[in-house]
Amino acid sequence: ILGFSTPPGRLSMMAFILNALTCALALLYFIRRGKQCLDFTVTVHFFHLLGCWIYNSRFPSALTWWLVHIVCTALMAAIGEYLCMRIELREIPLNSAPKSNV
């Protein structure tokens, strides 16, 4: 069903890309470590591959399927790592303790 020539194929690909973007936000919320984003992204896509393999009773062989998933893996990892690194690189406030009059 994934293909550039048909509207359902393009819609499915856009759904995969939007899913990658929302999963990148989930990496920010759940993982919060830039170094672990690639690991979790590859793990999620590997489990998706296994699920597709079991559901269809055959290994995915369509080139468009692999291209879409490689692009989605790269998007999810890169955007997730970028968002996590922005949180990690924030300045640590040094004056956060309440001031006392001594």
Side-chain angles (χ1 to χ4, degrees):
I1 192 168
L2 291 175
F4 296 106
S5 61
T6 62
R10 288 190 296 264
L11 185 64
S12 294
M13 285 192 275
M14 289 305 296
F16 277 112
I17 290 172
L18 288 174
N19 183 40
L21 297 176
T22 56
C23 286
L25 291 174
L27 287 174
L28 174 65
Y29 182 74
F30 291 112
I31 306 304
R32 295 183 187 241
R33 296 279 305 163
K35 291 183 178 182
Q36 295 176 341
C37 286
L38 180 62
D39 296 337
F40 281 92
T41 300
V42 171
T43 302
V44 165
H45 281 84
F46 177 72
F47 285 139
H48 183 260
L49 169 68
L50 289 179
C52 288
W53 193 355
I54 292 168
Y55 182 77
N56 292 324
S57 301
R58 63 185 174 94
F59 193 75
S61 61
L63 180 63
T64 55
W65 190 92
W66 285 103
L67 289 175
V68 167
H69 282 75
I70 289 170
V71 167
C72 289
T73 302
L75 273 175
M76 184 175 161
I79 294 172
E81 188 171 339
Y82 172 75
L83 293 173
C84 289
M85 292 300 281
R86 283 189 58 198
I87 299 296
E88 287 178 359
L89 294 176
R90 283 187 184 167
E91 290 185 19
I92 299 172
L94 297 176
N95 298 334
S96 62
K99 294 182 179 180
S100 62
N101 294 330
V102 178

